[in-house]
């Protein structure tokens, strides 16, 4: 009963390096989401996957790609990291938004790009 | 762009007092949700209110929704130090399964 698991928890990248943030949920949820959180900006949606096999852009998709590997896993890839991508990244999942449970969030990945 | 804007940005109160946070949003919604985020942690879902509801209670939480004014409020009664956190409202647009979050209210409850 881990909920939503994100790895790694912390990462430092050099400008231009690539990396993949991993997210997995064990609640059999259909929908998964990637958000970034910056000071004073709240959470902004990067990409989401309404169901297995589909992905769509959110508010701030530039510089990112995603893969919905299966129903459990939704990864976020930075192909060429930039300092502007320094942020805290949250993965979330939901069964269906109209139910009472809302989203379940992971504990976040704190990414610094130098 | 952010759908929701919380007010105030920061709030400091003593234990036992009530805390009220407000959220305004821009477009028609299916429902509005409130989340709590403790420092350095992920967000935790608190309560959901549907667009056809006006008020909802959950323990010490009371949420109101005024769709004519596109606004919501979250009231935490008898605050405790453990309520210290940031609180976010989130809304979904019609025909969409994605939530758009506001910028949050930082609540500090002093013992």
């Amino acid at each position: 009963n881990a909920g939503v698991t994100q790895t790694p928890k912390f990462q430092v990248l050099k400008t231009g390096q690539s990396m993949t943030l991993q997210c997995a949920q064990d609640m059999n949820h259909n929908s998964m989401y990637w958000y970034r959180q910056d000071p004073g900006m709240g959470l902004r949606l990067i990409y989401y996957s309404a169901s297995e096999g589909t992905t769509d852009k959110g508010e701030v998709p530039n510089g990112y790609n995603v893969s919905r590997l299966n129903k459990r896993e939704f990864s976020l890839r930075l192909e060429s990291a930039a300092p502007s991508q320094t942020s805290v990244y949250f993965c979330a999942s939901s069964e269906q938004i109209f139910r009472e449970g809302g989203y379940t969030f992971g504990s976040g990945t704190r990414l610094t790009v130098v | 762009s952010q759908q929701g804007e919380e007010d105030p940005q920061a709030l400091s109160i003593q234990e036992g007092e009530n805390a009220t946070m407000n959220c305004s949003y821009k477009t028609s919604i299916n429902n509005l949700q409130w989340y709590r985020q403790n420092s350095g942690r992920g967000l935790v879902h608190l309560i959901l209110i549907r667009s056809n509801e006006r008020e909802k209670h959950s323990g010490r939480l009371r949420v109101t929704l005024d769709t004519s004014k596109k606004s919501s409020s979250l009231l935490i009664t008898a605050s405790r130090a453990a309520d210290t956190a940031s609180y976010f409202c989130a809304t979904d647009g019609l025909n969409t399964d994605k939530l758009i979050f506001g910028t949050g209210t930082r609540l500090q409850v002093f013992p």
Side-chain angles (χ1 to χ4, degrees), chain A residues 31 33 35 37 40-45 48-50 57-59 90 94-108 110, chain B residues 1-3 30-31 33 35 37 40-45 47-48 50 53 56 88 91-93 95-104:
Chain A
S31 303
Y33 314 83
Y35 287 87
Q37 184 176 32
M41 296 291 290
L43 278 80
R44 292 181 292 169
L45 182 64
Y48 68 104
S49 172
K57 296 178 180 179
E59 298 174 78
F90 288 100
S94 69
E95 179 180 356
Q96 180 182 344
I97 197 169
F98 302 112
R99 296 180 188 271
E100 294 293 327
Y103 284 17
T104 301
F105 279 83
S107 57
R110 188 173 296 273
Chain B
S1 61
Q2 303 293 144
Q3 161 77 309
N30 282 313
N31 66 70
Q33 303 182 33
Y35 287 77
Q37 183 181 33
R41 308 296 295 273
L43 280 72
V44 174
H45 179 259
I47 194 167
L48 178 153
R50 303 183 192 282
E53 297 175 315
K56 200 163 184 179
F88 294 87
T91 57
D92 69 319
N95 300 315
T96 179
D97 189 32
K98 53 184 179 178
L99 285 180
I100 305 297
F101 285 81
T103 52

Coordinates of all heavy atoms in Angstrom, one line a residue, chain A residues 31 33 35 37 40-45 48-50 57-59 90 94-108 110, chain B residues 1-3 30-31 33 35 37 40-45 47-48 50 53 56 88 91-93 95-104:
Chain A
S31 N -5.7 7.3 -14.3 CA -5.1 8.6 -14.7 C -3.8 8.9 -13.9 O -3.8 8.7 -12.7 CB -6.1 9.8 -14.6 OG -7.2 9.5 -15.3
Y33 N -0.4 11.9 -13.6 CA -0.1 13.3 -13.9 C 1.4 13.7 -13.4 O 1.8 13.1 -12.4 CB -1.0 14.3 -13.1 CG -2.5 13.9 -13.2 CD1 -3.0 12.9 -12.4 CD2 -3.3 14.5 -14.2 CE1 -4.3 12.5 -12.5 CE2 -4.6 14.1 -14.3 CZ -5.2 13.1 -13.4 OH -6.5 12.8 -13.5
Y35 N 3.4 17.2 -12.3 CA 3.4 18.6 -12.0 C 4.8 19.1 -11.6 O 5.6 18.3 -11.1 CB 2.4 18.9 -10.8 CG 1.0 18.8 -11.1 CD1 0.3 17.6 -11.0 CD2 0.2 19.9 -11.5 CE1 -1.0 17.5 -11.3 CE2 -1.1 19.8 -11.7 CZ -1.8 18.6 -11.6 OH -3.1 18.5 -11.9
Q37 N 6.5 22.2 -9.2 CA 6.2 23.3 -8.2 C 7.3 24.2 -8.0 O 8.4 23.7 -7.6 CB 5.8 22.6 -6.9 CG 5.3 23.6 -5.8 CD 4.9 23.0 -4.5 OE1 5.3 21.9 -4.1 NE2 3.9 23.6 -3.9
G40 N 6.1 30.4 -5.2 CA 5.1 31.4 -5.6 C 4.3 31.1 -6.8 O 3.5 31.9 -7.3
M41 N 4.5 29.9 -7.4 CA 3.8 29.6 -8.7 C 2.8 28.5 -8.5 O 2.1 28.1 -9.4 CB 4.8 29.1 -9.7 CG 5.8 30.2 -10.1 SD 5.0 31.5 -11.1 CE 4.6 30.7 -12.6
G42 N 2.7 27.9 -7.3 CA 1.8 26.8 -7.1 C 2.3 25.6 -7.9 O 3.5 25.4 -8.3
L43 N 1.4 24.7 -8.3 CA 1.7 23.5 -9.1 C 1.2 23.8 -10.5 O 0.1 24.3 -10.8 CB 1.0 22.3 -8.6 CG 1.6 21.6 -7.4 CD1 1.3 22.3 -6.1 CD2 1.2 20.1 -7.3
R44 N 2.1 23.4 -11.5 CA 1.7 23.6 -12.9 C 1.8 22.2 -13.5 O 2.8 21.5 -13.4 CB 2.6 24.6 -13.6 CG 2.4 26.0 -13.1 CD 3.3 27.0 -13.8 NE 4.7 26.8 -13.5 CZ 5.7 27.4 -14.1 NH1 5.5 28.2 -15.2 NH2 7.0 27.2 -13.7
L45 N 0.8 21.9 -14.3 CA 0.7 20.6 -15.0 C 1.6 20.5 -16.2 O 1.6 21.4 -17.1 CB -0.7 20.3 -15.4 CG -1.0 19.0 -16.1 CD1 -0.8 17.9 -15.1 CD2 -2.5 19.0 -16.5
Y48 N -0.1 14.8 -18.7 CA -0.9 13.8 -18.0 C -1.3 12.7 -18.9 O -1.1 12.8 -20.1 CB -2.2 14.5 -17.4 CG -3.1 15.0 -18.5 CD1 -4.3 14.4 -18.7 CD2 -2.9 16.2 -19.2 CE1 -5.2 14.8 -19.7 CE2 -3.8 16.7 -20.1 CZ -5.0 16.0 -20.3 OH -5.9 16.5 -21.3
S49 N -1.8 11.6 -18.3 CA -2.2 10.4 -19.0 C -3.5 10.0 -18.5 O -3.6 9.5 -17.3 CB -1.2 9.3 -18.8 OG -1.6 8.1 -19.4
A50 N -4.6 10.2 -19.3 CA -5.9 9.9 -18.8 C -6.2 8.4 -18.6 O -7.0 8.0 -17.8 CB -7.0 10.5 -19.7
K57 N -0.5 17.0 -23.4 CA 0.3 18.1 -22.8 C -0.5 18.9 -21.8 O -1.7 19.0 -21.9 CB 0.7 19.0 -23.9 CG 1.7 18.4 -24.9 CD 2.1 19.4 -26.0 CE 3.0 18.8 -27.0 NZ 3.4 19.7 -28.1
G58 N 0.2 19.4 -20.8 CA -0.5 20.3 -19.8 C -0.1 21.7 -20.1 O 0.0 22.1 -21.3
E59 N 0.1 22.5 -19.0 CA 0.4 23.9 -19.2 C 1.8 24.2 -19.6 O 2.1 25.1 -20.4 CB 0.2 24.6 -17.8 CG -1.2 24.6 -17.2 CD -1.1 25.2 -15.8 OE1 -1.1 26.5 -15.7 OE2 -1.1 24.5 -14.8
F90 N 6.3 16.6 -8.9 CA 5.3 15.7 -8.3 C 4.6 14.9 -9.3 O 4.1 15.4 -10.3 CB 4.3 16.5 -7.4 CG 4.9 17.1 -6.2 CD1 5.2 18.4 -6.2 CD2 5.1 16.3 -5.1 CE1 5.8 19.0 -5.0 CE2 5.6 16.9 -3.9 CZ 6.0 18.2 -3.9
S94 N -5.1 9.4 -10.2 CA -6.5 9.4 -9.7 C -7.3 8.3 -10.5 O -6.9 7.9 -11.6 CB -7.1 10.8 -10.0 OG -7.3 11.0 -11.4
E95 N -8.3 7.8 -9.8 CA -9.2 6.8 -10.4 C -10.1 7.5 -11.3 O -10.2 7.2 -12.5 CB -9.9 6.1 -9.3 CG -10.9 5.0 -9.9 CD -11.6 4.3 -8.8 OE1 -11.3 4.5 -7.6 OE2 -12.5 3.5 -9.1
Q96 N -10.8 8.5 -10.8 CA -11.7 9.2 -11.6 C -12.0 10.5 -10.8 O -12.3 10.5 -9.6 CB -13.0 8.5 -11.8 CG -14.0 9.3 -12.7 CD -15.3 8.5 -12.9 OE1 -15.4 7.3 -12.6 NE2 -16.3 9.2 -13.3
I97 N -11.8 11.6 -11.5 CA -11.8 12.9 -10.7 C -13.2 13.2 -10.1 O -13.2 13.9 -9.1 CB -11.4 14.1 -11.7 CG1 -11.1 15.3 -10.9 CG2 -12.6 14.4 -12.6 CD1 -10.4 16.4 -11.7
F98 N -14.2 12.6 -10.5 CA -15.5 12.9 -10.0 C -15.8 12.1 -8.7 O -16.9 12.3 -8.1 CB -16.6 12.7 -11.0 CG -16.4 13.6 -12.2 CD1 -16.1 13.0 -13.4 CD2 -16.5 14.9 -12.1 CE1 -15.9 13.7 -14.6 CE2 -16.3 15.7 -13.3 CZ -16.0 15.1 -14.5
R99 N -14.9 11.2 -8.4 CA -15.1 10.5 -7.1 C -14.5 11.4 -6.0 O -13.9 12.3 -6.2 CB -14.4 9.2 -7.2 CG -15.0 8.2 -8.2 CD -14.3 6.9 -8.2 NE -14.8 6.1 -9.4 CZ -15.8 5.3 -9.3 NH1 -16.5 5.2 -8.2 NH2 -16.2 4.6 -10.4
E100 N -14.8 11.0 -4.7 CA -14.5 11.8 -3.6 C -13.0 11.8 -3.3 O -12.5 12.7 -2.6 CB -15.2 11.3 -2.4 CG -16.7 11.4 -2.5 CD -17.1 12.9 -2.4 OE1 -16.4 13.7 -1.8 OE2 -18.1 13.3 -3.1
G101 N -12.2 10.9 -3.8 CA -10.9 10.7 -3.3 C -9.9 11.7 -3.8 O -8.8 11.9 -3.3
G102 N -10.1 12.4 -4.9 CA -9.2 13.3 -5.4 C -7.9 12.7 -6.0 O -7.9 11.5 -6.3
Y103 N -6.9 13.4 -6.0 CA -5.6 12.9 -6.5 C -4.8 12.3 -5.3 O -4.9 12.9 -4.2 CB -4.7 14.0 -7.1 CG -5.1 14.5 -8.5 CD1 -6.4 14.2 -9.0 CD2 -4.2 15.2 -9.2 CE1 -6.7 14.6 -10.3 CE2 -4.5 15.7 -10.5 CZ -5.8 15.4 -11.0 OH -6.1 15.8 -12.3
T104 N -3.9 11.3 -5.6 CA -2.9 10.9 -4.6 C -1.6 11.3 -5.2 O -1.2 11.0 -6.3 CB -3.0 9.4 -4.5 OG1 -4.3 9.0 -4.0 CG2 -1.9 8.9 -3.5
F105 N -0.8 12.0 -4.4 CA 0.5 12.5 -4.8 C 1.6 11.7 -4.2 O 1.6 11.1 -3.1 CB 0.7 14.0 -4.3 CG 0.0 15.0 -5.2 CD1 -1.4 15.3 -5.0 CD2 0.7 15.7 -6.1 CE1 -2.0 16.2 -5.8 CE2 0.1 16.6 -6.9 CZ -1.3 16.9 -6.8
G106 N 2.7 11.7 -5.0 CA 4.0 11.2 -4.5 C 4.7 12.2 -3.6 O 4.2 13.3 -3.5
S107 N 5.8 11.9 -3.1 CA 6.5 12.8 -2.1 C 7.4 13.7 -2.9 O 8.0 14.6 -2.2 CB 7.3 12.0 -1.1 OG 8.2 11.1 -1.8
G108 N 7.6 13.6 -4.2 CA 8.3 14.6 -4.9 C 9.7 14.2 -5.2 O 10.4 13.4 -4.5
R110 N 13.2 16.5 -5.9 CA 13.8 17.8 -5.9 C 14.9 17.8 -6.9 O 16.0 17.2 -6.7 CB 14.2 18.2 -4.5 CG 14.7 19.6 -4.4 CD 14.9 20.0 -3.0 NE 13.7 19.9 -2.2 CZ 12.9 20.9 -2.0 NH1 13.1 22.1 -2.6 NH2 11.8 20.8 -1.2
Chain B
S1 N -1.6 29.3 -17.3 CA -1.9 30.2 -16.3 C -2.7 29.5 -15.2 O -3.3 28.5 -15.4 CB -2.8 31.4 -16.8 OG -4.0 30.8 -17.3
Q2 N -2.6 30.1 -13.9 CA -3.3 29.5 -12.8 C -4.8 29.7 -12.9 O -5.3 30.7 -13.3 CB -2.8 30.1 -11.5 CG -1.3 30.0 -11.3 CD -0.8 28.6 -11.1 OE1 0.3 28.2 -11.5 NE2 -1.6 27.8 -10.4
Q3 N -5.5 28.6 -12.6 CA -7.0 28.8 -12.6 C -7.4 29.4 -11.2 O -8.3 30.2 -11.2 CB -7.6 27.4 -12.7 CG -9.0 27.2 -12.3 CD -10.0 27.8 -13.3 OE1 -9.9 28.9 -13.7 NE2 -11.0 27.0 -13.6
N30 N -16.5 21.6 -12.7 CA -17.3 20.5 -12.2 C -17.2 20.4 -10.7 O -18.2 20.1 -10.1 CB -16.8 19.2 -12.8 CG -17.2 19.0 -14.3 OD1 -18.4 19.2 -14.6 ND2 -16.3 18.6 -15.1
N31 N -16.0 20.5 -10.2 CA -15.9 20.5 -8.8 C -14.6 21.3 -8.3 O -13.8 21.6 -9.2 CB -15.8 19.0 -8.2 CG -14.6 18.3 -8.7 OD1 -13.5 18.6 -8.3 ND2 -14.8 17.3 -9.6
Q33 N -11.5 21.3 -5.3 CA -10.9 20.5 -4.2 C -9.9 21.3 -3.4 O -9.4 22.3 -3.9 CB -10.2 19.3 -4.8 CG -11.1 18.4 -5.7 CD -10.3 17.2 -6.2 OE1 -9.4 16.6 -5.6 NE2 -10.7 16.8 -7.4
Y35 N -6.4 20.9 -1.0 CA -5.3 20.0 -0.6 C -4.4 20.7 0.4 O -4.4 21.9 0.5 CB -4.5 19.7 -1.8 CG -5.1 18.8 -2.8 CD1 -6.1 19.2 -3.7 CD2 -4.7 17.4 -2.9 CE1 -6.6 18.3 -4.6 CE2 -5.3 16.5 -3.8 CZ -6.3 17.0 -4.6 OH -6.8 16.1 -5.5
Q37 N -0.4 20.7 2.0 CA 1.0 20.3 1.8 C 1.8 20.7 3.0 O 2.0 21.9 3.2 CB 1.5 20.9 0.5 CG 3.0 20.5 0.2 CD 3.5 21.1 -1.1 OE1 3.2 22.3 -1.4 NE2 4.3 20.3 -1.8
G40 N 8.0 20.2 2.4 CA 8.9 19.2 1.9 C 8.1 17.9 1.5 O 8.8 16.9 1.2
R41 N 6.8 17.9 1.6 CA 6.0 16.7 1.3 C 5.1 16.9 0.1 O 5.0 18.0 -0.4 CB 5.2 16.3 2.5 CG 6.0 16.2 3.8 CD 7.0 15.1 3.8 NE 6.4 13.8 3.7 CZ 6.0 13.1 4.7 NH1 6.1 13.6 5.9 NH2 5.4 11.9 4.5
G42 N 4.5 15.8 -0.3 CA 3.5 15.9 -1.4 C 2.2 16.4 -0.9 O 2.0 16.7 0.3
L43 N 1.3 16.7 -1.8 CA -0.1 17.2 -1.4 C -1.0 16.1 -0.9 O -0.9 15.0 -1.4 CB -0.7 17.9 -2.6 CG -0.2 19.3 -2.8 CD1 1.2 19.4 -3.4 CD2 -1.2 20.1 -3.8
V44 N -1.8 16.4 0.0 CA -2.8 15.5 0.5 C -4.2 16.0 0.3 O -4.5 17.2 0.7 CB -2.6 15.2 2.0 CG1 -3.7 14.3 2.6 CG2 -1.2 14.6 2.3
H45 N -5.1 15.2 -0.3 CA -6.4 15.6 -0.6 C -7.2 15.8 0.7 O -7.2 14.9 1.6 CB -7.1 14.6 -1.5 CG -8.5 14.9 -1.8 ND1 -9.6 14.2 -1.2 CD2 -9.1 15.7 -2.7 CE1 -10.7 14.7 -1.7 NE2 -10.4 15.6 -2.6
I47 N -10.7 17.6 0.8 CA -12.2 17.6 0.6 C -12.5 18.1 -0.8 O -11.7 18.8 -1.4 CB -12.8 18.6 1.6 CG1 -14.3 18.4 1.7 CG2 -12.4 20.0 1.4 CD1 -14.9 19.1 2.9
L48 N -13.6 17.6 -1.3 CA -14.1 17.9 -2.7 C -15.5 18.4 -2.5 O -16.3 17.8 -1.8 CB -14.0 16.7 -3.6 CG -14.5 16.7 -5.0 CD1 -13.8 15.7 -5.9 CD2 -16.0 16.5 -5.1
R50 N -18.7 19.6 -5.1 CA -19.2 19.6 -6.4 C -19.8 21.0 -6.8 O -20.3 21.7 -5.9 CB -20.2 18.5 -6.6 CG -19.6 17.2 -6.3 CD -20.6 16.0 -6.6 NE -20.1 14.8 -6.0 CZ -19.1 14.0 -6.5 NH1 -18.6 14.4 -7.6 NH2 -18.8 12.9 -5.9
E53 N -23.1 21.9 -5.1 CA -23.1 21.9 -3.7 C -22.7 23.3 -3.2 O -21.9 24.0 -3.9 CB -22.2 20.9 -3.1 CG -22.6 19.5 -3.4 CD -21.6 18.4 -2.9 OE1 -20.4 18.6 -3.1 OE2 -22.1 17.4 -2.3
K56 N -19.9 22.1 2.5 CA -19.6 20.7 2.9 C -18.7 20.7 4.1 O -17.9 21.6 4.3 CB -18.8 20.0 1.7 CG -18.9 18.5 1.7 CD -18.5 18.0 0.4 CE -18.6 16.5 0.4 NZ -18.3 15.9 -0.9
F88 N -4.0 24.5 -0.8 CA -4.2 24.8 -2.2 C -5.6 24.4 -2.6 O -6.1 23.3 -2.2 CB -3.2 23.9 -3.1 CG -1.8 24.3 -2.9 CD1 -1.0 23.7 -1.9 CD2 -1.2 25.2 -3.8 CE1 0.3 24.0 -1.8 CE2 0.1 25.5 -3.6 CZ 0.9 24.9 -2.6
T91 N -9.2 23.1 -9.2 CA -10.4 23.0 -10.0 C -10.2 22.2 -11.3 O -9.1 22.2 -11.8 CB -11.0 24.4 -10.3 OG1 -10.0 25.1 -11.1 CG2 -11.3 25.2 -9.1
D92 N -11.3 21.6 -11.7 CA -11.3 21.0 -13.0 C -12.2 21.7 -13.9 O -13.3 22.1 -13.5 CB -11.7 19.5 -12.9 CG -13.1 19.4 -12.6 OD1 -13.6 20.1 -11.7 OD2 -13.8 18.5 -13.1
G93 N -11.8 21.9 -15.2 CA -12.7 22.5 -16.1 C -13.7 21.5 -16.6 O -13.6 20.3 -16.3
N95 N -15.5 18.8 -18.8 CA -15.1 17.8 -19.8 C -13.6 17.5 -19.7 O -13.0 17.3 -20.7 CB -15.5 18.2 -21.2 CG -17.0 18.3 -21.4 OD1 -17.8 17.5 -20.9 ND2 -17.4 19.4 -22.0
T96 N -13.0 17.6 -18.5 CA -11.6 17.3 -18.4 C -11.3 16.6 -17.1 O -12.1 16.8 -16.1 CB -10.8 18.6 -18.5 OG1 -9.4 18.2 -18.3 CG2 -11.1 19.6 -17.4
D97 N -10.3 15.8 -17.1 CA -10.0 15.0 -15.9 C -8.7 15.6 -15.2 O -8.1 15.0 -14.4 CB -9.7 13.6 -16.3 CG -9.6 12.7 -15.0 OD1 -10.2 13.0 -14.0 OD2 -8.8 11.7 -15.1
K98 N -8.3 16.8 -15.6 CA -7.1 17.4 -15.0 C -7.4 18.5 -14.1 O -8.3 19.3 -14.4 CB -6.1 17.8 -16.1 CG -6.7 18.7 -17.1 CD -5.7 19.1 -18.2 CE -6.4 20.0 -19.2 NZ -5.5 20.4 -20.3
L99 N -6.6 18.6 -13.0 CA -6.8 19.6 -12.0 C -5.8 20.8 -12.3 O -4.7 20.5 -12.6 CB -6.6 19.1 -10.6 CG -7.7 18.2 -10.0 CD1 -7.2 17.8 -8.6 CD2 -9.0 19.0 -9.9
I100 N -6.3 22.0 -12.1 CA -5.4 23.2 -12.1 C -5.4 23.7 -10.7 O -6.5 24.0 -10.1 CB -6.0 24.2 -13.1 CG1 -6.1 23.6 -14.5 CG2 -5.0 25.4 -13.2 CD1 -4.9 23.1 -15.1
F101 N -4.2 23.9 -10.2 CA -4.0 24.3 -8.8 C -3.8 25.8 -8.7 O -3.2 26.5 -9.6 CB -2.8 23.6 -8.2 CG -3.1 22.2 -7.9 CD1 -3.0 21.2 -8.9 CD2 -3.4 21.8 -6.6 CE1 -3.3 19.9 -8.6 CE2 -3.7 20.5 -6.3 CZ -3.6 19.5 -7.3
G102 N -4.2 26.4 -7.6 CA -3.9 27.7 -7.3 C -2.5 27.9 -6.7 O -1.8 26.9 -6.6
T103 N -2.2 29.1 -6.2 CA -0.8 29.4 -5.7 C -0.7 29.1 -4.3 O 0.4 29.0 -3.8 CB -0.5 30.8 -6.0 OG1 -1.5 31.6 -5.5 CG2 -0.3 31.1 -7.5
G104 N -1.7 28.8 -3.5 CA -1.6 28.4 -2.2 C -1.7 29.5 -1.1 O -1.3 30.6 -1.3

